[in-house]
């Protein structure tokens, strides 16, 4: 494979989701990613979620495109080997608690002494400084602290956490983006740098203008279920045959087409209908009209009529529906790929399509430590020396 990141070497020394997924994104576009795990305690993500015949399935996606090696960084020999790997690397991604790398003699100053151009991405729950910096934390804590959970759920119900790693995924995207910026800077100047990435921050940026609205107006966004505080109608509605659809009217023209379709053209001329903010004040009336119309028709009828008037609608699918969706099939979003342990499996393809430098999934996640000997050989370590390292528990 050749890609825009061909020749870039990434050391993935992180665990669980945000850091490793950032490395996956870089690997999808050509980076040589070396996944470094503890010899006796593999990345905990290998044990998350379902498995088939003892083979973890999420790891097949999270570990794709990576070479896997093992090092005990808490031992001096292991730390020294990582330092040697860092000399020939471009990016190092880690997510230990602040102070851990320093305790092992792998602080950024030491790494930059070995490789001044190295980009060091430090992914933690709360950042490298502040009163919470050394506390344990995960994506779920970020989803709570950021305000996301507070606005998610029904008005009379509890705050809701997402049933997947939302904050971790957003942080992974932000980390890959930050690494790309830092690599560009290093290419131009020869200067590496440290990226301080706190999982509590990227998700906060995606919550819109809530901080400014509170600062200027004292507004605190409430929980509104599937409705929106910015436009109406916007909700999920049930069809006559028991399916659910999502309707959104973020643009004025779509709102007008929806209300005309459901037989309520009369509201379009109302002064309050002229903006999403004022339509929200009449959300019960609008929801009743749209929900009533949809509830009298089958899914096929509803989708067909919305398509005819060019109004936005989406079928609420579970993963089985996603797998059968012709739009995803047309885009190539779901990738069939051979796996050495499971045969052909399917997973998400690379994030986007690029006309000149497309990405590629080179292989699925490999076994724990599968490439250790090859990686050590690149450092000039002989098979006999590698065996001795194993005997001492270094790899």
């Amino acid at each position: 494979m050749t890609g825009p990141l061909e020749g870039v070497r990434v050391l993935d020394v992180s665990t669980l989701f945000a850091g490793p997924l950032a490395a996956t994104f870089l690997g999808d576009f050509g980076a040589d990613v070396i996944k470094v795990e503890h010899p006796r305690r593999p990345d905990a993500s290998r044990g998350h979620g379902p498995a088939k015949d003892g083979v973890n399935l999420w790891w097949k996606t999270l570990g794709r495109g990576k070479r896997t090696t093992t090092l005990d960084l808490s031992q001096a020999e292991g730390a020294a080997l990582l330092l040697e790997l860092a000399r020939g690397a471009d990016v190092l991604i880690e997510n230990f608690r602040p102070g851990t790398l320093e305790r092992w003699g792998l602080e950024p100053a030491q790494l930059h002494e070995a490789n001044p151009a190295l980009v060091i991405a430090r992914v933690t729950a709360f950042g490298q400084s502040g009163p919470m910096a050394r506390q344990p934390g995960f994506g779920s804590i970020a989803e709570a602290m950021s305000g996301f959970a507070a606005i998610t759920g029904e008005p009379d119900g509890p705050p809701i956490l997402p049933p997947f790693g939302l904050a971790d995924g957003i942080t992974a995207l932000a980390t890959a983006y930050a690494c790309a910026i830092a690599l560009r800077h290093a290419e131009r100047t020869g200067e590496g740098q440290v990226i301080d990435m706190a999982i509590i921050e990227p998700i906060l940026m995606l919550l819109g203008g809530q901080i400014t609205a509170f600062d200027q107006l004292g507004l605190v966004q409430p929980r509104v279920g599937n409705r929106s505080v910015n436009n109406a109608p916007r909700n999920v509605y049930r069809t006559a045959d028991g399916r659910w659809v999502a309707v959104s009217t973020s643009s004025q023209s779509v709102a007008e087409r929806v209300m005309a379709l459901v037989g309520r053209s009369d509201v379009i001329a109302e002064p309050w209908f002229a903006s999403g903010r004022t339509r929200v004040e009449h959300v019960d009336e609008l929801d009743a009209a749209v929900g009533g119309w949809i509830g009298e028709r089958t899914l096929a009828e509803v989708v067909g009529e919305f398509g005819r008037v060019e109004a936005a609608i989406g079928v609420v699918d579970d993963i089985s529906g996603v797998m059968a969706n012709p739009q995803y099939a047309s885009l190539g979003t779901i990738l069939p790929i051979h796996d050495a342990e499971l045969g052909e499996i399917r997973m998400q393809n690379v994030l986007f399509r690029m006309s000149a430098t497309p990405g590629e999934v080179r292989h699925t996640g490999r076994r724990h430590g599968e490439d250790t000997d090859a990686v050590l050989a690149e450092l000039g370590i002989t098979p006999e020396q590698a065996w001795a390292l194993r005997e001492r528990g270094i790899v």
Side-chain angles (χ1 to χ4, degrees):
M1 171 186 174
T2 59
L5 296 180
E6 183 187 13
V8 172
R9 174 165 289 185
V10 177
L11 302 180
D12 176 8
V13 196
S14 56
T15 60
L16 289 176
F17 305 116
L21 187 56
T24 301
F25 292 148
L26 297 174
D28 283 348
F29 284 89
D32 174 21
V33 181
I34 300 176
K35 173 70 176 178
V36 180
E37 298 174 80
H38 192 280
R40 294 165 295 284
R41 296 189 298 276
D43 188 329
S45 63
R46 290 181 181 269
H48 274 251
K52 179 181 179 182
D53 299 330
V55 178
N56 181 267
L57 299 178
W58 173 218
W59 172 253
K60 291 300 178 183
T61 299
L62 188 61
R64 72 190 192 189
K66 303 178 183 181
R67 296 193 287 162
T68 58
T69 188
T70 60
L71 282 176
D72 185 349
L73 302 181
S74 67
Q75 298 194 53
E77 286 183 273
L81 286 169
L82 184 73
L83 202 60
E84 286 303 308
L85 285 172
R87 293 184 195 278
D90 301 282
V91 177
L92 183 146
I93 301 175
E94 64 98 3
N95 71 334
F96 301 105
R97 288 197 213 178
T100 302
L101 283 188
E102 286 78 359
R103 190 171 69 249
W104 294 337
L106 292 168
E107 64 272 11
Q110 186 80 6
L111 291 164
H112 279 147
E113 184 179 340
N115 181 354
L118 184 66
V119 173
I120 305 169
R122 311 193 76 173
V123 184
T124 57
F126 308 114
Q128 294 295 314
S129 61
M132 298 183 68
R134 292 177 182 265
Q135 293 184 23
F138 301 98
S140 297
I141 309 304
E143 289 144 12
M145 285 182 60
S146 65
F148 172 85
I151 63 170
T152 306
E154 295 300 325
D156 57 351
I160 298 294
L161 295 171
F164 64 99
L166 177 63
D168 283 295
I170 296 170
T171 300
L173 288 167
T175 302
Y177 171 41
C179 287
I181 294 171
L183 283 168
R184 175 60 171 154
H185 176 75
E187 178 186 356
R188 296 171 68 178
T189 67
E191 178 186 36
Q193 60 185 296
V194 177
I195 299 165
D196 180 2
M197 182 67 68
I199 297 175
I200 61 173
E201 291 183 299
I203 188 172
L204 184 61
M205 183 62 185
L206 297 193
L207 293 182
Q210 290 186 52
I211 287 178
T212 307
F214 179 78
D215 173 64
Q216 296 296 303
L217 301 170
L219 294 179
V220 177
Q221 183 170 318
R223 287 192 291 281
V224 292
N226 289 310
R227 289 174 168 176
S228 170
V229 296
N230 299 311
N231 73 86
R234 187 263 203 180
N235 212 328
V236 294
Y237 307 93
R238 196 170 192 175
T239 66
D241 50 351
R243 296 296 302 275
W244 291 90
V245 293
V247 173
S248 179
T249 57
S250 294
S251 72
Q252 183 67 23
S253 60
V254 170
E256 293 174 4
R257 289 198 289 271
V258 168
M259 297 317 297
L261 174 64
V262 302
R264 288 300 307 273
S265 297
D266 58 298
V267 301
I268 298 173
E270 295 288 345
W272 55 261
F273 197 82
S275 77
R277 180 178 54 81
T278 50
R279 290 200 304 273
V280 169
E281 298 170 3
H282 298 261
V283 64
D284 289 335
E285 178 182 359
L286 298 175
D287 258 354
V290 176
W293 185 90
I294 289 175
E296 295 173 352
R297 290 162 175 80
T298 66
L299 177 66
E301 292 171 328
V302 170
V303 171
E305 285 297 291
F306 267 72
R308 181 180 63 80
V309 301
E310 297 184 350
I313 191 169
V315 179
V316 178
D317 270 329
D318 60 17
I319 199 64
S320 65
V322 171
M323 298 285 276
N325 189 303
Q327 181 61 29
Y328 283 126
S330 176
L331 294 172
T333 308
I334 299 171
L335 173 73
I337 186 170
H338 176 77
D339 177 72
E341 296 177 283
L342 299 173
E344 184 174 277
I345 63 175
R346 289 185 285 176
M347 64 175 61
Q348 301 93 321
N349 208 335
V350 296
L351 280 174
F352 36 78
R353 289 157 296 283
M354 300 181 72
S355 60
T357 56
E360 179 186 1
V361 179
R362 288 166 285 181
H363 56 77
T364 60
R366 292 183 174 173
R367 296 177 180 89
H368 179 233
E370 184 170 339
D371 301 288
T372 297
D373 287 344
V375 171
L376 292 177
E378 291 171 7
L379 295 178
I381 294 174
T382 66
E384 293 76 19
Q385 291 170 324
W387 179 85
L389 288 169
R390 282 193 173 85
E391 286 290 298
R392 297 195 298 275
I394 306 301
V395 300

